[in-house]
Amino acid sequence: MKRIRPAGAVYLLLLFLIAGLPGCIRTQMSFPDLVVEPAVTPQPSSTAPRPTESSPTETRSEEDLVYLTLAVPFTDQTTQALRLLFLAREAGLQLDLSAPRLGDHVELDDLLQFEGPLALNTFTVPAAVGVSAEQVRAWRASATMPDLLYCSSAAALPDKSQLLPLNDWLYDNMLLSPELLYPQMLAALSNGQTLYSVPFLASTPLLCHHAGLLEQLNARVPPEDLSWTSWAQWLDETQQLLIRQQLSIAPAELTTLGDDPQIRQSYLEKAIVLNSQLAAYLPFIAPAAYSALNWGMWQENSFALDHPEFRSSAAWLRELAQSGYGTEHLAETDLLGAFQEDRLISRLMDSASLDEWDNREPFAASFSLMPYADEKEMPAKGLSMKRVPLHIRSLYVSRETENPELSVKLATFIAMDPDSLLMQSRFQQYKGLIPLIRDDAVWAALVAPQTHGALLIALRERLPYAYTGGQQTVRNWDAIIQEALVQAGSRYLTAAEVDLEDALRSISSTAAVLLHEGG
């Protein structure tokens, strides 16, 4: 196959995404000859050809087989089903988006006619977190690095130079068409003009509410879909209810307790906390209203923490903190008495942890998507879009693979081919995770059956406006979010007026130092 150098590959890939060319899947890669029937439509199982003793497929030597190892979020049973479907694609079986869908109904025996010299080994990793840095170190030490790696945070791996740039292999892959894939997902996985992985699944931050506690208080449970304005109104409404029941930790209420530490401690041990840390919301407020900003104010290769939208959103959140809607105003000794899980109403969590919360007894939880900006909150008047943050999980190819072209092709097939995703749904669920392609059947199969499928399905209308973070590309991403946005952000929320500019500079400088240290 003719190769295009990386710069040209990037140009063609971007041109392709902008043009949104229609068409069906083309297979142009080099692969050992397949022994298949001339037809490329699966035959009924009663008539499908089977290998015989004289079949070249059976008599191939071990040397003819191509071996790939996959570190993926599914079992070997799923891998072997996908192997047959992939071989069918390579034999010329094209993607057909009309019903009935191949991945949803085809019998595996009917795919045996496409059997070929490909062997896949599976190393199953958790769908929520993917491969770990420790696993990668062990694989490198033993020279057993998988060809494909499923990652939730590739930037945290020991050496990203071990990951294969994909531009050369993907410039003409029709699965990247914006008719199938939300284009901004690729930008989140690129370093400059270099694409290092293919998007597979994603989670989103959620507001987790203690529904049982709210019911005891006769308080309203927030809806699944709400704006930042309506969220603030709900906080105020719930705070007023807590004040009336003498359960609030609002600064004004604590002042009335006087200086007696025993009285204060006794009060805090029965008080109700609205939010664990308001500063945890800081990475999401400004991007909700400004489409050029991403999670944590990430913008291409730096954090835009001096952006006017960030300053205004931080000031707005500071007003909420001053009302005692979080815990930032509490001293450490107060926090020890007040902060108990059964007396905390709301917290932030990741949708990949939904299953974990469902199994917490007797905790009755309800969930809301990350709030969106009202039209009146958007800088461009009349602009209406519900932006949503996504944490992307993706498939990488090891630079050590002996079969780079085949590995890239397989990774793209696994993550983005609708029939592949439908086939996966027949074996398992990815709890709390969503696919990243525009396909009704895939969403119905992978998302709708989940316990919280209705909540996650609601994300679909927001995906055209989704924004992402630097989990896959920024080495110190987690530390930057925690130390700069949350910890330094908490200090800003409680700072005196005279110290606000210094507190804002502390957020920016902390992020800059950690970004530089990460390289």
Side-chain angles (χ1 to χ4, degrees):
M1 181 176 71
K2 183 181 178 181
R3 291 293 173 80
I4 295 179
R5 293 198 172 275
V10 173
Y11 175 77
L12 284 180
L13 181 58
L14 293 176
L15 183 65
F16 168 75
L17 289 175
I18 294 170
L21 298 175
C24 33
I25 309 306
R26 293 179 285 124
T27 54
Q28 299 182 356
M29 61 188 298
S30 175
F31 193 75
D33 293 337
L34 299 175
V35 181
V36 299
E37 293 295 297
V40 292
T41 301
Q43 304 298 312
S45 56
S46 59
T47 59
R50 299 287 186 271
T52 64
E53 290 185 5
S54 59
S55 166
T57 301
E58 272 199 4
T59 57
R60 287 184 188 273
S61 69
E62 289 289 313
E63 295 177 357
D64 293 326
L65 283 174
V66 175
Y67 288 94
L68 297 179
T69 300
L70 321 180
V72 285
F74 45 77
T75 64
D76 190 63
Q77 184 183 23
T78 307
T79 297
Q80 300 316 316
L82 292 174
R83 184 185 72 86
L84 289 173
L85 189 56
F86 176 70
L87 288 170
R89 279 281 187 267
E90 291 302 295
L93 187 64
Q94 294 184 337
L95 176 62
D96 182 358
L97 297 181
S98 61
R101 303 293 289 277
L102 182 68
D104 204 24
H105 78 280
V106 69
E107 295 293 334
L108 297 184
D109 283 352
D110 296 338
L111 293 174
L112 289 175
Q113 62 185 296
F114 300 108
E115 185 60 86
L118 175 63
L120 301 180
N121 299 316
T122 308
F123 188 97
T124 303
V125 298
V129 298
V131 302
S132 68
E134 292 73 20
Q135 287 172 324
V136 171
R137 290 189 187 96
W139 287 327
R140 288 183 62 187
S142 60
T144 57
M145 183 72 73
D147 299 271
L148 269 58
L149 300 103
Y150 171 84
C151 297
S152 66
S153 182
L157 298 182
D159 186 0
K160 279 189 65 180
S161 67
Q162 296 299 310
L163 303 176
L164 183 72
L166 306 184
N167 300 63
D168 241 4
W169 314 103
L170 288 178
Y171 68 90
D172 66 343
N173 194 308
M174 298 299 289
L175 288 175
L176 301 183
S177 164
E179 293 180 350
L180 286 176
L181 175 71
Y182 294 96
Q184 69 269 41
M185 307 309 166
L186 292 178
L189 304 176
S190 301
N191 232 338
Q193 289 190 324
T194 304
L195 180 67
Y196 279 96
S197 65
V198 291
F200 187 178
L201 301 167
S203 62
T204 188
L206 296 173
L207 282 64
C208 175
H209 313 293
H210 194 326
L213 182 56
L214 288 169
E215 185 179 348
Q216 291 175 27
L217 297 167
N218 292 317
R220 181 169 60 93
V221 176
E224 289 183 349
D225 205 22
L226 74 169
S227 68
W228 285 111
T229 299
S230 57
W231 175 68
Q233 290 169 346
W234 172 78
L235 288 175
D236 181 65
E237 170 191 315
T238 309
Q239 181 79 296
Q240 294 308 313
L241 186 150
L242 292 174
I243 290 173
R244 290 194 297 271
Q245 298 186 34
Q246 297 185 325
L247 295 170
S248 171
I249 61 167
E253 300 305 303
L254 296 180
T255 300
T256 65
L257 300 176
D259 297 327
D260 189 320
Q262 283 190 318
I263 293 176
R264 190 179 183 90
Q265 182 68 15
S266 177
Y267 180 87
L268 289 171
E269 286 176 355
K270 64 183 180 65
I272 304 296
V273 177
L274 265 174
N275 284 285
S276 53
Q277 274 188 311
L278 281 180
Y281 296 90
L282 201 51
F284 308 107
I285 301 173
Y290 200 84
S291 60
L293 299 173
N294 292 307
W295 188 327
M297 307 301 294
W298 180 245
Q299 204 172 35
E300 295 184 1
N301 56 10
S302 64
F303 288 88
L305 295 168
D306 58 349
H307 195 284
E309 197 65 39
F310 176 73
R311 296 176 70 93
S312 63
S313 64
W316 178 76
L317 192 64
R318 184 173 180 272
E319 291 178 11
L320 301 185
Q322 299 295 306
S323 298
Y325 297 157
T327 58
E328 278 82 3
H329 63 288
L330 295 179
E332 276 193 38
T333 52
D334 290 341
L335 202 55
L336 291 174
F339 192 78
Q340 297 295 326
E341 185 171 286
D342 61 345
R343 291 186 283 110
L344 173 64
I345 290 179
S346 289
R347 74 198 78 197
L348 280 182
M349 58 165 284
D350 191 87
S351 65
S353 302
L354 276 170
D355 187 49
E356 181 182 314
W357 282 100
D358 287 338
N359 295 324
R360 288 198 181 190
E361 293 291 346
F363 190 96
S366 68
F367 306 95
S368 301
L369 300 177
M370 187 63 68
Y372 58 87
D374 285 328
E375 277 190 47
K376 61 184 178 182
E377 298 168 340
M378 306 295 275
K381 298 301 179 185
L383 180 63
S384 178
M385 59 180 182
K386 295 181 178 180
R387 303 198 75 208
V388 62
L390 291 183
H391 178 176
I392 296 177
R393 277 76 169 167
S394 58
L395 282 177
Y396 288 79
V397 176
S398 168
R399 193 184 287 270
E400 297 175 13
T401 182
E402 296 179 359
N403 298 279
E405 187 173 10
L406 179 61
S407 296
V408 174
K409 193 76 172 182
L410 178 60
T412 310
F413 166 79
I414 289 172
M416 292 190 289
D417 187 299
D419 282 323
S420 164
L421 293 167
L422 288 170
M423 180 70 80
Q424 292 170 53
S425 74
R426 293 163 63 175
F427 293 89
Q428 65 197 86
Q429 290 183 354
Y430 299 119
K431 295 181 179 180
L433 299 171
I434 60 171
L436 293 171
I437 66 171
R438 310 172 190 263
D439 189 284
D440 293 343
V442 169
W443 278 77
L446 272 181
V447 183
Q450 295 187 35
T451 304
H452 298 281
L455 172 68
L456 297 174
I457 287 285
L459 286 170
R460 280 202 73 183
E461 70 168 295
R462 295 205 197 182
L463 283 192
Y465 316 112
Y467 61 95
T468 59
Q471 290 93 340
Q472 299 287 2
T473 56
V474 181
R475 180 172 295 278
N476 281 343
W477 175 262
D478 290 341
I480 292 169
I481 295 298
Q482 184 60 33
E483 296 181 32
L485 276 298
V486 179
Q487 294 177 10
S490 290
R491 293 191 288 273
Y492 166 82
L493 296 184
T494 56
E497 290 284 344
V498 69
D499 298 322
L500 289 181
E501 285 302 317
D502 285 343
L504 283 172
R505 281 193 289 271
S506 176
I507 295 174
S508 296
S509 61
T510 302
V513 168
L514 290 170
L515 182 63
H516 177 73
E517 288 176 354

